[in-house]
Coordinates of all heavy atoms in Angstrom, one line a residue:
G1 N -15.3 -14.6 20.7 CA -14.7 -13.8 19.7 C -14.4 -12.4 20.3 O -14.4 -12.2 21.5
G2 N -14.1 -11.5 19.4 CA -13.8 -10.1 19.8 C -12.4 -10.0 20.4 O -11.6 -10.8 20.4
V3 N -12.2 -8.8 21.0 CA -11.0 -8.4 21.6 C -10.5 -9.4 22.6 O -9.3 -9.8 22.7 CB -11.0 -7.0 22.2 CG1 -9.8 -6.7 22.9 CG2 -11.3 -6.0 21.1
E4 N -11.5 -9.9 23.4 CA -11.1 -10.8 24.5 C -10.5 -12.1 24.0 O -9.9 -12.8 24.8 CB -12.4 -11.1 25.4 CG -12.9 -9.9 26.1 CD -13.9 -9.1 25.3 OE1 -14.2 -9.5 24.1 OE2 -14.3 -8.1 25.7
S5 N -10.8 -12.5 22.8 CA -10.2 -13.7 22.3 C -8.7 -13.6 21.9 O -8.0 -14.5 21.7 CB -11.0 -14.2 21.0 OG -10.8 -13.3 20.0
V6 N -8.2 -12.3 21.8 CA -6.9 -12.0 21.5 C -6.1 -11.5 22.7 O -5.0 -11.8 22.9 CB -6.8 -11.1 20.3 CG1 -5.3 -10.7 20.0 CG2 -7.5 -11.6 19.1
V7 N -6.7 -10.6 23.4 CA -6.1 -9.9 24.5 C -6.4 -10.5 25.8 O -7.6 -10.7 26.2 CB -6.5 -8.4 24.6 CG1 -5.8 -7.7 25.8 CG2 -6.1 -7.7 23.3
Q8 N -5.4 -11.0 26.5 CA -5.5 -11.5 27.9 C -5.1 -10.4 28.9 O -3.9 -10.0 28.9 CB -4.7 -12.8 28.1 CG -5.2 -14.0 27.4 CD -4.8 -14.0 25.9 OE1 -3.6 -13.6 25.6 NE2 -5.7 -14.3 25.0
C9 N -6.1 -9.9 29.6 CA -5.8 -8.7 30.5 C -4.7 -9.0 31.5 O -4.8 -10.0 32.2 CB -7.1 -8.3 31.2 SG -6.9 -6.7 32.0
G10 N -3.7 -8.2 31.4 CA -2.5 -8.4 32.3 C -1.5 -9.4 31.7 O -0.4 -9.5 32.2
G11 N -1.8 -10.1 30.6 CA -0.9 -11.0 30.0 C -0.2 -10.4 28.8 O 1.0 -10.5 28.6
N12 N -1.1 -9.9 27.9 CA -0.5 -9.3 26.7 C -1.2 -8.0 26.3 O -1.1 -7.4 25.3 CB -0.6 -10.2 25.5 CG -2.0 -10.6 25.1 OD1 -3.0 -10.1 25.6 ND2 -2.1 -11.5 24.1
G13 N -2.0 -7.5 27.3 CA -2.7 -6.2 27.1 C -3.5 -5.9 28.3 O -3.5 -6.6 29.3
L14 N -4.2 -4.8 28.3 CA -5.1 -4.4 29.3 C -6.5 -4.2 28.7 O -6.6 -3.6 27.6 CB -4.7 -3.1 30.0 CG -3.3 -3.2 30.7 CD1 -3.0 -1.8 31.3 CD2 -3.4 -4.2 31.8
L15 N -7.5 -4.7 29.4 CA -8.9 -4.5 28.9 C -9.7 -3.6 29.8 O -9.4 -3.5 31.0 CB -9.6 -5.9 28.9 CG -9.0 -6.9 27.9 CD1 -9.7 -8.3 28.2 CD2 -9.2 -6.5 26.5
F16 N -10.6 -2.9 29.2 CA -11.5 -2.0 30.0 C -12.8 -1.8 29.2 O -12.8 -2.1 28.0 CB -10.8 -0.6 30.3 CG -10.3 0.0 29.1 CD1 -11.0 0.9 28.3 CD2 -9.0 -0.2 28.7 CE1 -10.5 1.5 27.2 CE2 -8.4 0.4 27.6 CZ -9.2 1.3 26.8
E17 N -13.8 -1.4 29.9 CA -15.1 -1.3 29.2 C -15.0 -0.2 28.1 O -14.5 0.9 28.3 CB -16.2 -0.9 30.3 CG -16.5 -2.0 31.2 CD -17.2 -3.2 30.6 OE1 -18.0 -3.0 29.7 OE2 -16.8 -4.3 30.9
P18 N -15.7 -0.5 27.0 CA -15.7 0.5 25.9 C -16.4 1.8 26.4 O -17.3 1.8 27.2 CB -16.6 -0.2 24.8 CG -16.5 -1.6 25.2 CD -16.4 -1.7 26.6
K19 N -15.9 2.9 25.9 CA -16.4 4.2 26.2 C -16.3 4.6 27.6 O -17.0 5.5 28.1 CB -17.9 4.3 25.7 CG -18.0 4.1 24.2 CD -19.5 4.2 23.8 CE -19.6 3.9 22.3 NZ -20.9 4.0 21.8
N20 N -15.4 4.0 28.4 CA -15.2 4.3 29.8 C -13.9 5.0 29.9 O -12.8 4.4 30.0 CB -15.2 3.0 30.6 CG -15.1 3.3 32.1 OD1 -14.6 4.3 32.5 ND2 -15.6 2.4 32.9
A21 N -13.9 6.3 29.8 CA -12.7 7.2 29.8 C -11.9 7.0 31.1 O -10.7 7.0 31.1 CB -13.1 8.6 29.6
A22 N -12.6 6.9 32.2 CA -11.9 6.7 33.5 C -11.1 5.4 33.5 O -10.0 5.4 34.0 CB -12.9 6.8 34.7
A23 N -11.7 4.3 33.0 CA -11.0 3.1 33.0 C -9.8 3.1 32.0 O -8.7 2.6 32.3 CB -11.9 1.9 32.6
F24 N -10.0 3.8 30.9 CA -8.9 4.0 30.0 C -7.7 4.8 30.6 O -6.6 4.3 30.5 CB -9.4 4.7 28.7 CG -8.3 5.1 27.8 CD1 -7.6 4.1 27.0 CD2 -8.0 6.4 27.5 CE1 -6.6 4.5 26.1 CE2 -7.0 6.8 26.6 CZ -6.3 5.8 25.9
L25 N -8.1 5.8 31.3 CA -7.0 6.6 32.0 C -6.4 5.8 33.1 O -5.1 6.0 33.3 CB -7.6 7.9 32.5 CG -8.0 8.9 31.4 CD1 -8.8 10.1 32.1 CD2 -6.9 9.4 30.6
E26 N -7.1 5.0 33.8 CA -6.5 4.2 34.8 C -5.5 3.2 34.2 O -4.5 2.9 34.7 CB -7.6 3.4 35.6 CG -7.1 2.4 36.5 CD -6.2 3.0 37.6 OE1 -6.4 4.1 38.0 OE2 -5.4 2.2 38.1
S27 N -5.9 2.6 33.0 CA -5.0 1.7 32.3 C -3.7 2.4 31.9 O -2.6 1.9 32.1 CB -5.7 1.1 31.1 OG -6.7 0.2 31.5
L28 N -3.9 3.6 31.4 CA -2.7 4.4 31.0 C -1.8 4.7 32.2 O -0.6 4.6 32.1 CB -3.1 5.7 30.3 CG -3.7 5.5 28.9 CD1 -4.1 6.9 28.4 CD2 -2.7 4.9 28.0
S29 N -2.4 5.0 33.3 CA -1.7 5.3 34.5 C -0.9 4.1 35.0 O 0.2 4.2 35.4 CB -2.7 5.8 35.6 OG -2.0 6.1 36.8
R30 N -1.6 3.0 35.0 CA -0.9 1.7 35.4 C 0.3 1.5 34.5 O 1.4 1.1 35.0 CB -1.9 0.5 35.2 CG -2.9 0.4 36.3 CD -3.7 -0.8 36.2 NE -3.0 -2.0 36.2 CZ -3.4 -3.2 35.8 NH1 -4.6 -3.3 35.2 NH2 -2.6 -4.3 35.9
L31 N 0.2 1.6 33.2 CA 1.3 1.4 32.3 C 2.4 2.4 32.5 O 3.6 2.0 32.5 CB 0.8 1.6 30.8 CG 0.0 0.4 30.3 CD1 -0.6 0.8 28.9 CD2 0.8 -0.9 30.2
R32 N 2.1 3.6 32.8 CA 3.1 4.7 33.0 C 3.9 4.4 34.3 O 5.1 4.6 34.3 CB 2.4 6.0 33.1 CG 3.3 7.2 33.3 CD 2.6 8.5 33.2 NE 3.5 9.6 33.5 CZ 3.4 10.4 34.4 NH1 2.4 10.4 35.3 NH2 4.3 11.4 34.6
G33 N 3.2 3.9 35.3 CA 3.9 3.7 36.6 C 4.4 2.3 36.9 O 5.0 2.1 37.9
D34 N 4.3 1.4 36.0 CA 4.7 0.0 36.3 C 5.5 -0.6 35.1 O 5.0 -1.1 34.2 CB 3.4 -0.8 36.5 CG 3.7 -2.2 37.1 OD1 4.9 -2.7 36.9 OD2 2.8 -2.8 37.6
G35 N 6.8 -0.4 35.3 CA 7.7 -0.9 34.2 C 7.6 -2.5 34.1 O 7.7 -3.0 33.0
E36 N 7.4 -3.2 35.2 CA 7.3 -4.6 35.1 C 6.1 -5.0 34.3 O 6.1 -5.9 33.5 CB 7.3 -5.2 36.5 CG 7.0 -6.7 36.5 CD 8.1 -7.5 35.8 OE1 9.2 -7.1 35.6 OE2 7.7 -8.6 35.3
L37 N 5.0 -4.3 34.5 CA 3.7 -4.6 33.7 C 4.0 -4.3 32.3 O 3.6 -5.1 31.4 CB 2.6 -3.7 34.2 CG 1.3 -3.8 33.5 CD1 0.7 -5.2 33.5 CD2 0.3 -2.8 34.0
R38 N 4.6 -3.2 31.9 CA 4.9 -2.9 30.5 C 5.8 -4.1 29.9 O 5.5 -4.5 28.8 CB 5.7 -1.6 30.4 CG 4.8 -0.4 30.7 CD 5.5 0.9 30.2 NE 6.8 1.1 30.8 CZ 7.1 1.7 31.9 NH1 6.1 2.2 32.7 NH2 8.3 1.8 32.4
R39 N 6.8 -4.5 30.6 CA 7.6 -5.6 30.1 C 6.9 -6.9 29.9 O 7.0 -7.5 28.9 CB 8.8 -5.8 31.1 CG 9.8 -6.9 30.6 CD 10.7 -7.5 31.7 NE 9.9 -8.2 32.6 CZ 9.3 -9.4 32.4 NH1 9.4 -10.0 31.3 NH2 8.6 -10.0 33.4
R40 N 6.0 -7.2 30.9 CA 5.2 -8.4 30.8 C 4.2 -8.4 29.6 O 4.1 -9.3 28.9 CB 4.5 -8.6 32.1 CG 3.8 -10.0 32.2 CD 3.3 -10.3 33.6 NE 2.2 -9.4 33.9 CZ 2.2 -8.5 35.0 NH1 3.3 -8.4 35.7 NH2 1.2 -7.7 35.2
L41 N 3.6 -7.2 29.4 CA 2.7 -7.1 28.3 C 3.4 -7.2 26.9 O 2.9 -7.8 26.0 CB 1.9 -5.7 28.4 CG 1.0 -5.6 29.6 CD1 0.3 -4.2 29.5 CD2 0.0 -6.7 29.7
V42 N 4.6 -6.6 26.8 CA 5.4 -6.7 25.6 C 5.7 -8.1 25.3 O 5.5 -8.6 24.2 CB 6.6 -5.8 25.6 CG1 7.6 -6.1 24.5 CG2 6.2 -4.3 25.6
E43 N 6.2 -8.8 26.3 CA 6.6 -10.2 26.2 C 5.4 -11.1 25.8 O 5.5 -11.9 24.9 CB 7.3 -10.8 27.4 CG 8.7 -10.2 27.6 CD 9.6 -10.5 26.5 OE1 9.6 -11.7 26.0 OE2 10.4 -9.7 26.1
G44 N 4.3 -10.8 26.5 CA 3.1 -11.6 26.2 C 2.6 -11.3 24.8 O 2.1 -12.3 24.1
G45 N 2.6 -10.1 24.3 CA 2.2 -9.8 23.0 C 3.1 -10.4 21.9 O 2.6 -11.0 20.9
L46 N 4.4 -10.4 22.2 CA 5.3 -11.1 21.2 C 5.1 -12.6 21.2 O 5.1 -13.2 20.1 CB 6.8 -10.7 21.6 CG 7.2 -9.3 21.4 CD1 8.6 -9.1 22.0 CD2 7.2 -8.9 19.9
E47 N 4.9 -13.2 22.3 CA 4.6 -14.6 22.4 C 3.3 -15.0 21.7 O 3.3 -15.9 20.9 CB 4.6 -15.1 23.8 CG 4.3 -16.6 24.0 CD 5.4 -17.4 23.4 OE1 6.6 -16.9 23.2 OE2 5.2 -18.6 23.2
A48 N 2.3 -14.2 21.8 CA 1.0 -14.4 21.1 C 1.3 -14.3 19.6 O 0.8 -15.1 18.8 CB 0.0 -13.4 21.6
A49 N 2.0 -13.3 19.2 CA 2.3 -13.1 17.8 C 3.0 -14.3 17.2 O 2.7 -14.8 16.1 CB 3.1 -11.8 17.6
R50 N 4.0 -14.8 18.0 CA 4.8 -15.9 17.5 C 4.0 -17.2 17.4 O 4.2 -18.0 16.5 CB 6.0 -16.2 18.4 CG 7.2 -15.2 18.1 CD 8.4 -15.6 18.9 NE 8.2 -15.6 20.3 CZ 8.6 -14.5 21.1 NH1 9.1 -13.5 20.6 NH2 8.4 -14.5 22.4
T51 N 3.2 -17.5 18.4 CA 2.5 -18.8 18.5 C 1.1 -18.8 17.9 O 0.6 -19.9 17.7 CB 2.4 -19.2 20.0 OG1 1.6 -18.2 20.7 CG2 3.8 -19.3 20.6
R52 N 0.5 -17.7 17.7 CA -0.9 -17.7 17.3 C -1.1 -17.0 15.9 O -2.0 -17.4 15.2 CB -1.8 -17.0 18.3 CG -1.9 -17.8 19.6 CD -2.9 -17.1 20.5 NE -4.2 -17.3 20.0 CZ -5.3 -16.6 20.5 NH1 -5.1 -15.7 21.4 NH2 -6.5 -16.8 20.0
F53 N -0.3 -16.0 15.6 CA -0.5 -15.2 14.4 C 0.6 -15.2 13.4 O 0.5 -14.5 12.4 CB -0.8 -13.8 14.9 CG -2.0 -13.7 15.9 CD1 -1.7 -13.4 17.2 CD2 -3.2 -14.1 15.5 CE1 -2.8 -13.4 18.1 CE2 -4.3 -14.1 16.4 CZ -4.1 -13.7 17.7
D54 N 1.6 -16.0 13.6 CA 2.6 -16.1 12.5 C 2.0 -16.8 11.3 O 1.2 -17.8 11.5 CB 3.8 -17.0 13.1 CG 4.9 -17.1 12.1 OD1 4.8 -18.1 11.3 OD2 5.8 -16.3 12.1
W55 N 2.3 -16.4 10.1 CA 1.7 -17.0 8.9 C 1.9 -18.5 8.8 O 1.0 -19.2 8.3 CB 2.2 -16.2 7.7 CG 1.4 -15.0 7.5 CD1 1.9 -13.7 7.6 CD2 0.0 -14.8 7.2 NE1 0.9 -12.8 7.4 CE2 -0.3 -13.4 7.1 CE3 -1.0 -15.7 6.9 CZ2 -1.5 -12.9 6.9 CZ3 -2.3 -15.2 6.7 CH2 -2.5 -13.8 6.6
R56 N 3.1 -18.9 9.3 CA 3.3 -20.4 9.2 C 2.4 -21.1 10.0 O 1.9 -22.2 9.7 CB 4.8 -20.7 9.6 CG 5.8 -20.2 8.5 CD 7.2 -20.2 9.1 NE 7.2 -19.2 10.1 CZ 8.3 -18.5 10.4 NH1 9.4 -18.7 9.8 NH2 8.3 -17.6 11.4
V57 N 2.1 -20.6 11.2 CA 1.1 -21.2 12.1 C -0.3 -21.2 11.5 O -1.0 -22.2 11.5 CB 1.1 -20.5 13.5 CG1 0.0 -21.1 14.4 CG2 2.5 -20.7 14.2
I58 N -0.7 -20.1 11.0 CA -2.0 -20.0 10.4 C -2.2 -20.9 9.2 O -3.2 -21.6 9.0 CB -2.3 -18.5 10.0 CG1 -2.4 -17.6 11.3 CG2 -3.5 -18.4 9.1 CD1 -2.4 -16.1 11.0
V59 N -1.2 -20.9 8.3 CA -1.2 -21.8 7.1 C -1.3 -23.3 7.6 O -2.1 -24.1 7.0 CB 0.0 -21.6 6.2 CG1 0.1 -22.7 5.2 CG2 -0.1 -20.2 5.6
D60 N -0.5 -23.7 8.6 CA -0.5 -25.0 9.1 C -1.9 -25.4 9.6 O -2.4 -26.5 9.3 CB 0.5 -25.2 10.1 CG 0.6 -26.7 10.6 OD1 0.8 -27.5 9.7 OD2 0.5 -26.9 11.8
R61 N -2.5 -24.5 10.4 CA -3.9 -24.8 10.9 C -4.9 -25.0 9.8 O -5.7 -25.9 9.8 CB -4.3 -23.7 11.8 CG -3.6 -23.7 13.1 CD -4.2 -22.6 14.0 NE -3.4 -22.5 15.2 CZ -3.1 -21.3 15.8 NH1 -3.6 -20.2 15.3 NH2 -2.4 -21.3 16.9
H62 N -4.8 -24.1 8.8 CA -5.7 -24.2 7.7 C -5.5 -25.5 6.9 O -6.4 -26.2 6.5 CB -5.6 -23.0 6.7 CG -6.3 -21.8 7.2 ND1 -5.9 -21.0 8.2 CD2 -7.5 -21.3 6.9 CE1 -6.7 -20.0 8.5 NE2 -7.7 -20.2 7.6
Q63 N -4.2 -25.8 6.7 CA -3.9 -27.1 5.9 C -4.5 -28.3 6.7 O -5.0 -29.2 6.1 CB -2.4 -27.2 5.8 CG -2.0 -28.4 5.0 CD -0.5 -28.5 4.7 OE1 0.2 -27.6 5.1 NE2 -0.1 -29.6 4.1
Q64 N -4.3 -28.3 8.0 CA -4.9 -29.4 8.8 C -6.4 -29.5 8.6 O -6.9 -30.6 8.4 CB -4.5 -29.2 10.3 CG -3.1 -29.4 10.6 CD -2.7 -29.1 12.0 OE1 -3.6 -29.0 12.9 NE2 -1.5 -28.8 12.3
V65 N -7.1 -28.4 8.6 CA -8.5 -28.4 8.4 C -8.9 -29.0 7.1 O -9.7 -29.8 6.9 CB -9.1 -27.0 8.7 CG1 -10.6 -27.0 8.2 CG2 -9.0 -26.6 10.1
F66 N -8.2 -28.5 6.0 CA -8.5 -28.9 4.7 C -8.2 -30.4 4.5 O -8.9 -31.1 3.8 CB -7.7 -28.0 3.7 CG -8.2 -26.6 3.7 CD1 -7.2 -25.6 3.4 CD2 -9.5 -26.2 3.9 CE1 -7.6 -24.3 3.5 CE2 -9.8 -24.9 3.9 CZ -8.9 -23.9 3.7
E67 N -7.1 -30.9 5.1 CA -6.8 -32.3 5.0 C -7.9 -33.1 5.6 O -8.2 -34.2 5.1 CB -5.4 -32.6 5.6 CG -4.3 -32.0 4.7 CD -2.9 -32.2 5.4 OE1 -2.9 -32.5 6.6 OE2 -1.9 -31.8 4.7
R68 N -8.4 -32.7 6.8 CA -9.4 -33.4 7.5 C -10.7 -33.4 6.6 O -11.4 -34.5 6.5 CB -9.8 -32.9 8.8 CG -8.8 -33.2 9.9 CD -9.3 -33.0 11.3 NE -9.8 -31.6 11.5 CZ -9.2 -30.6 12.1 NH1 -8.0 -30.8 12.6 NH2 -9.8 -29.5 12.2
M69 N -11.0 -32.3 6.0 CA -12.1 -32.2 5.1 C -12.0 -33.2 3.9 O -12.9 -33.8 3.5 CB -12.4 -30.8 4.6 CG -12.8 -29.9 5.8 SD -12.8 -28.1 5.3 CE -14.1 -28.1 4.1
A70 N -10.8 -33.2 3.4 CA -10.5 -34.0 2.2 C -10.7 -35.5 2.5 O -11.1 -36.3 1.7 CB -9.1 -33.8 1.6
R71 N -10.3 -35.9 3.8 CA -10.5 -37.3 4.2 C -11.9 -37.5 4.7 O -12.2 -38.7 5.1 CB -9.5 -37.6 5.3 CG -8.0 -37.6 4.9 CD -7.1 -38.2 6.0 NE -7.3 -37.5 7.3 CZ -6.5 -36.5 7.7 NH1 -5.5 -36.1 7.0 NH2 -6.7 -36.0 8.9
R72 N -12.7 -36.5 4.6 CA -14.1 -36.6 5.0 C -14.3 -37.0 6.4 O -15.3 -37.6 6.8 CB -14.9 -37.6 4.1 CG -14.9 -37.2 2.7 CD -15.7 -38.2 1.9 NE -15.7 -37.9 0.5 CZ -16.6 -37.2 -0.2 NH1 -17.7 -36.8 0.4 NH2 -16.5 -36.9 -1.5
E73 N -13.3 -36.6 7.2 CA -13.5 -36.7 8.7 C -14.6 -35.7 9.1 O -14.7 -34.6 8.4 CB -12.2 -36.4 9.4 CG -11.2 -37.5 9.2 CD -10.0 -37.2 10.0 OE1 -10.0 -36.3 10.9 OE2 -9.0 -37.9 9.8
R74 N -15.2 -36.0 10.2 CA -16.2 -35.0 10.6 C -15.6 -33.7 11.1 O -14.8 -33.7 12.0 CB -17.0 -35.6 11.8 CG -18.1 -34.7 12.2 CD -18.9 -35.3 13.3 NE -19.8 -34.3 13.8 CZ -21.1 -34.5 14.1 NH1 -21.6 -35.7 13.9 NH2 -21.8 -33.5 14.5
T75 N -15.9 -32.7 10.4 CA -15.4 -31.3 10.8 C -16.5 -30.4 11.1 O -16.3 -29.2 11.4 CB -14.5 -30.7 9.7 OG1 -15.2 -30.6 8.6 CG2 -13.2 -31.6 9.6
A76 N -17.7 -30.9 11.0 CA -18.9 -30.0 11.2 C -19.2 -29.9 12.7 O -19.2 -30.9 13.4 CB -20.1 -30.6 10.4
P77 N -19.6 -28.8 13.2 CA -19.5 -27.6 12.4 C -18.0 -27.1 12.4 O -17.3 -27.4 13.3 CB -20.3 -26.6 13.2 CG -20.3 -27.1 14.6 CD -20.1 -28.6 14.5
L78 N -17.6 -26.5 11.3 CA -16.2 -26.0 11.2 C -16.2 -24.7 12.0 O -16.2 -23.6 11.5 CB -15.9 -25.8 9.7 CG -14.4 -25.3 9.5 CD1 -13.5 -26.3 10.0 CD2 -14.2 -25.2 8.0
E79 N -16.0 -24.9 13.3 CA -16.0 -23.7 14.2 C -14.6 -23.1 14.3 O -13.7 -23.7 13.9 CB -16.7 -24.0 15.5 CG -16.0 -25.1 16.3 CD -16.5 -26.4 16.0 OE1 -17.7 -26.6 15.8 OE2 -15.7 -27.4 16.1
A80 N -14.6 -22.0 15.0 CA -13.4 -21.2 15.2 C -12.2 -22.0 15.8 O -11.1 -21.9 15.4 CB -13.6 -20.0 16.0
H81 N -12.6 -23.0 16.7 CA -11.5 -23.7 17.4 C -10.7 -24.6 16.4 O -9.5 -24.8 16.7 CB -12.0 -24.5 18.6 CG -12.6 -25.8 18.2 ND1 -13.9 -26.0 17.8 CD2 -12.0 -27.0 18.1 CE1 -14.1 -27.2 17.6 NE2 -13.0 -27.9 17.7
A82 N -11.3 -25.0 15.3 CA -10.5 -25.8 14.3 C -9.4 -25.0 13.7 O -8.4 -25.6 13.3 CB -11.5 -26.2 13.2
L83 N -9.5 -23.7 13.7 CA -8.4 -22.9 13.1 C -7.6 -22.2 14.2 O -6.8 -21.4 13.9 CB -9.0 -21.8 12.2 CG -9.7 -22.5 10.9 CD1 -10.4 -21.4 10.2 CD2 -8.7 -23.2 10.1
G84 N -7.9 -22.5 15.5 CA -7.1 -21.9 16.6 C -7.6 -20.5 16.9 O -6.8 -19.7 17.5
W85 N -8.8 -20.2 16.6 CA -9.3 -18.8 16.9 C -10.1 -18.7 18.2 O -10.6 -17.7 18.5 CB -10.2 -18.3 15.7 CG -9.5 -18.2 14.4 CD1 -8.1 -18.1 14.2 CD2 -10.1 -18.2 13.2 NE1 -7.9 -18.0 12.9 CE2 -9.1 -18.1 12.2 CE3 -11.4 -18.3 12.7 CZ2 -9.3 -18.1 10.9 CZ3 -11.6 -18.3 11.4 CH2 -10.6 -18.2 10.4
E86 N -10.1 -19.8 18.9 CA -10.9 -19.7 20.1 C -10.3 -18.9 21.2 O -9.1 -18.6 21.1 CB -11.2 -21.2 20.7 CG -10.0 -21.8 21.3 CD -8.9 -22.3 20.4 OE1 -9.1 -22.3 19.2 OE2 -7.9 -22.8 20.9
R87 N -11.0 -18.5 22.2 CA -10.5 -17.8 23.3 C -9.5 -18.6 24.1 O -9.8 -19.8 24.3 CB -11.7 -17.4 24.2 CG -11.2 -16.5 25.3 CD -12.4 -16.1 26.2 NE -13.3 -15.2 25.4 CZ -14.3 -14.6 25.9 NH1 -14.5 -14.6 27.2 NH2 -15.1 -13.8 25.1
S88 N -8.4 -18.0 24.4 CA -7.4 -18.8 25.2 C -7.7 -18.6 26.6 O -8.2 -17.7 27.1 CB -6.0 -18.2 24.9 OG -5.7 -18.4 23.5

């Protein structure tokens, strides 16, 4: 869970240790100086939004889970991966 389940460092964002100002500034410096990195992060973020967080995708995942539950298929435990929330 957490940020790492959504942000892939270098793919759709940059990660650094919390409360580490030096690492934060380094990330900003990388973004400022690397147009290709900025482009890649934007494209990665848009792709994640389209494939993981679009309401149609979310509704479809929930519907699949509810249908399995209604058919009494084994869904226990109903963990995050059933809804597509697992770390990629």
Side-chain angles (χ1 to χ4, degrees):
V3 172
E4 296 87 3
S5 67
V6 176
V7 177
Q8 290 78 44
C9 193
N12 65 1
L14 297 176
L15 296 172
F16 51 88
E17 290 297 317
K19 300 181 182 179
N20 184 335
F24 174 67
L25 291 174
E26 173 62 28
S27 294
L28 289 178
S29 180
R30 284 182 62 199
L31 288 170
R32 182 173 179 239
D34 189 341
E36 175 58 27
L37 175 61
R38 289 192 307 269
R39 186 200 61 75
R40 190 170 66 243
L41 296 180
V42 167
E43 289 299 319
L46 290 171
E47 181 64 18
R50 282 190 294 266
T51 61
R52 296 183 68 195
F53 304 112
D54 181 271
W55 279 110
R56 290 168 292 214
V57 172
I58 293 169
V59 167
D60 185 54
R61 286 183 188 143
H62 281 77
Q63 182 177 355
Q64 290 172 17
V65 169
F66 296 145
E67 287 173 355
R68 283 197 308 257
M69 290 170 65
R71 290 192 307 263
R72 297 183 186 261
E73 291 182 9
R74 183 182 172 131
T75 59
L78 183 57
E79 60 268 328
H81 82 271
L83 297 172
W85 297 338
E86 76 281 359
R87 185 180 294 192
S88 298

